Amino acid sequence: MKQKRFILQETELPTAWYNIQADMPNKPMPPLHPGTKQPLGVDDLAHIFPRECCVQELDTEHDFVPIPEEVMDKYKAYRSTPLVRAYALEEALQTPAHIYFKNESVNPLGSHKVNSALPQCYYAKQEGMTNVTTETGAGQWGAALAYAASVFGLESAVYQVKISMQQKPYRSSIMRTFGAAVTGSPSMSTRAGKDIITRDPHHPGSLGTAISEAVELATTTPNCKYTLGSVLNHVALHQTIIGLEAEKQMAMAGEYPDVVIACFGGGSNFGGIAFPFMRHNLKDGKKTEFIAAEPESCPKLTRGEFRYDFGDEAGYTPLLPMFTLGHSFKPANIHAGGLRYHGAGMIISQLIKDGLMHGVDIPQLESFEAGMLFARTEGIIPAPESSHAIAATIREAEKCKRTGEARVILFNLSGHGLIDMSAYDQYLNGDLMNHRVSDEDIRQTLKSVPE
Ligand SMILES: *Cc1c(COP(=O)(O)O)cnc(C)c1O
């Protein structure tokens, strides 16, 4: 009989995260102080982030990092997530490929982000903090953080990009349900916000404005830490629970992936599913191919440059070694809000430089077409972000159809799209379009990268 879903029992859950930095042939270059250009250490970063996260951020030694028992207990509320064989999608595509997906939409918040929100809040609590703060765009990270803060008894304050707050009202409802104080950014509650509003009273807000406000709140409030939902190494570390489970579940299915695919914003869900399998490429001679699917409107992996650049639009953060389009790059307002980021995380950027993985860029309409086919075959409405991974998977499956190869493809379903239905409405009404970036635009914004 054909088995559709593979589930781990609680006793079979992985108990340590995988730190790929320990096994990388070339370690990521360090984050630099923007003024002195000196490498930053744990003490520099720990002003802002929980200290344990800073230790993990810079750890290039330990390949496995034990998951604290308190975090394991909270993971058990929704883990393991199912590994699913997409038989119906395979049939619709008439492909000989075997397609599997890891369903990270099955948790209280509907995306993978909670996998890192839980440990970040746990460490903040352990270190005696009472408050956490962050910024959020579309709201997936803010919602995950609000939930995790409530689980560990912390107060949370979330700065949400003002325009996104209006476009996705239900995400702020979710955050407030879990007790978060949600403020539209720019706001009058911080000096940074006041300055922006004084200059431009109708500023719609951006991740740049929201980061500045959240960091200011964290550095001016006693016992308050700032948290981040993507890009940084420790976030990808926490997300490896996805791939470590998938590794065991693929073994239950009696298969091993030839291709691993995930959508790409800052790299956390990609790293989460890919790194545990990449470990076997690095150590055991496996030859799995790794594909990160980015939007055509924000193509840092396929068309960006490897440079030291700021992590935020406003230029407040340390300088990070990354594939970037320039921190002043303003992506089109596509519906995959979680993929609208100008750069790639430090680990991923080094792995691309070393040829260990590669990116593909997906036009918005192709991503929605893929999402529709997935919904109509497998019965799950994917997040617009996740639809980029589905589109890349379909491309690979169609290649297999042409060559007759039965490759095993594994992709990560990073979230569901049930709070993004206005985006589906617009697609169905024919109101969406593609947003290819011109070479000239990229040349211009790369000029914002410091020398
Ligand atoms: C935030 C988000 C992403 C993109 O972030 P990564 O750090 O690249 O994983 C992708 N999918 C969903 C559903 C998200 O919420």
Side-chain angles (χ1 to χ4, degrees):
M1 219 174 37
K2 297 200 294 192
Q3 188 167 345
K4 172 88 178 155
R5 300 195 325 149
F6 301 87
I7 312 274
L8 300 174
Q9 299 306 311
E10 282 186 11
T11 51
E12 298 169 308
L13 293 179
T15 55
W17 295 297
Y18 172 56
N19 176 24
I20 194 171
Q21 295 193 75
D23 292 330
M24 286 170 69
N26 297 306
K27 307 299 176 200
M29 285 149 63
L32 301 181
H33 186 283
T36 64
K37 304 271 163 75
Q38 290 304 304
L40 294 175
V42 169
D43 288 337
D44 303 304
L45 299 171
H47 291 301
I48 302 177
F49 300 102
R51 174 166 287 271
E52 190 57 32
C53 294
C54 304
V55 171
Q56 293 172 350
E57 185 67 21
L58 300 176
D59 180 358
T60 54
E61 266 173 49
H62 304 95
D63 55 356
F64 283 92
V65 177
I67 303 174
E69 210 172 302
E70 292 84 346
V71 174
M72 278 310 296
D73 287 344
K74 305 306 175 196
Y75 274 173
K76 285 176 190 168
Y78 62 95
R79 308 210 67 90
S80 66
T81 64
L83 175 82
V84 186
R85 173 91 183 258
Y87 288 112
L89 178 63
E90 287 172 19
E91 188 166 326
L93 295 170
Q94 290 288 303
T95 176
H98 296 190
I99 302 176
Y100 292 83
F101 64 93
K102 182 76 168 148
N103 187 356
E104 287 297 310
S105 79
V106 190
N107 71 54
L109 286 311
S111 88
H112 69 284
K113 292 219 169 61
V114 69
N115 297 329
S116 183
L118 285 167
Q120 291 191 50
C121 286
Y122 166 74
Y123 292 126
K125 180 80 180 182
Q126 273 301 97
E127 293 165 20
M129 299 299 130
T130 52
N131 293 65
V132 284
T133 183
T134 196
E135 79 289 328
T136 195
Q140 289 109 324
W141 169 245
L145 187 79
Y147 165 80
S150 79
V151 156
F152 285 111
L154 295 164
E155 297 292 328
S156 60
V158 180
Y159 287 93
Q160 184 172 19
V161 178
K162 212 178 253 174
I163 180 92
S164 315
M165 206 168 175
Q166 290 153 10
Q167 285 169 345
K168 310 225 177 194
Y170 292 127
R171 286 249 167 66
S172 34
S173 318
I174 295 173
M175 291 184 251
R176 291 168 57 212
T177 299
F178 287 116
V182 184
T183 309
S185 175
S187 77
M188 295 299 279
S189 71
T190 61
R191 173 146 298 281
K194 275 183 212 154
D195 286 348
I196 294 162
I197 290 175
T198 309
R199 279 199 305 275
D200 179 359
H202 301 293
H203 197 297
S206 67
L207 279 176
T209 68
I211 292 176
S212 316
E213 292 201 84
V215 171
E216 182 181 322
L217 185 74
T219 49
T220 56
T221 310
N223 300 324
C224 180
K225 291 291 177 193
Y226 172 70
T227 61
L228 199 55
S230 181
V231 182
L232 296 179
N233 302 340
H234 67 269
V235 184
L237 172 77
H238 303 152
Q239 294 295 351
T240 59
I241 186 78
I242 302 171
L244 292 163
E245 281 182 6
E247 200 183 335
K248 293 189 172 192
Q249 291 163 310
M250 290 297 301
M252 288 163 75
E255 305 224 66
Y256 190 87
D258 297 306
V259 192
V260 175
I261 297 173
C263 68
F264 197 96
S268 77
N269 95 92
F270 176 86
I273 193 155
F275 292 168
F277 292 100
M278 203 178 282
R279 172 168 177 259
H280 299 295
N281 278 29
L282 296 172
K283 296 177 75 93
D284 313 324
K286 290 277 192 201
K287 297 266 188 289
T288 299
E289 183 182 353
F290 298 94
I291 304 176
E294 64 182 5
E296 178 191 53
S297 54
C298 194
K300 63 254 185 182
L301 303 177
T302 51
R303 296 168 67 200
E305 279 185 15
F306 185 79
R307 304 272 287 275
Y308 266 102
D309 196 6
F310 292 108
D312 66 321
E313 195 184 314
Y316 290 109
T317 68
L319 289 168
L320 306 173
M322 47 164 55
F323 270 88
T324 180
L325 296 164
H327 62 279
S328 69
F329 183 80
K330 290 195 176 52
N333 199 9
I334 57 164
H335 284 283
L339 308 186
R340 295 175 70 242
Y341 185 68
H342 68 276
M346 294 180 276
I347 294 176
I348 301 279
S349 295
Q350 188 64 48
L351 293 172
I352 291 197
K353 205 159 163 253
D354 291 342
L356 292 163
M357 57 171 281
H358 65 97
V360 291
D361 56 339
I362 307 283
Q364 174 158 264
L365 293 178
E366 183 181 340
S367 75
F368 271 90
E369 247 165 68
M372 296 295 295
L373 179 64
F374 186 72
R376 290 176 183 184
T377 50
E378 295 297 325
I380 301 170
I381 298 178
E385 289 87 355
S386 315
S387 292
H388 289 72
I390 300 171
T393 298
I394 291 173
R395 286 187 187 178
E396 291 305 309
E398 283 176 343
K399 272 188 218 159
C400 290
K401 188 173 171 181
R402 289 193 294 275
T403 62
E405 273 179 296
R407 294 181 95 196
V408 178
I409 306 173
L410 167 64
F411 78 87
N412 194 41
L413 184 74
S414 55
H416 68 65
L418 293 177
I419 307 177
D420 301 286
M421 293 316 294
S422 67
Y424 279 86
D425 271 343
Q426 287 180 31
Y427 173 74
L428 291 164
N429 293 339
D431 292 340
L432 294 187
M433 53 186 228
N434 290 331
H435 297 274
R436 189 176 165 80
V437 188
S438 72
D439 290 340
E440 182 50 31
D441 282 352
I442 295 176
R443 255 199 306 279
Q444 284 302 328
T445 52
L446 276 172
K447 287 186 186 157
S448 69
V449 179
E451 287 305 320

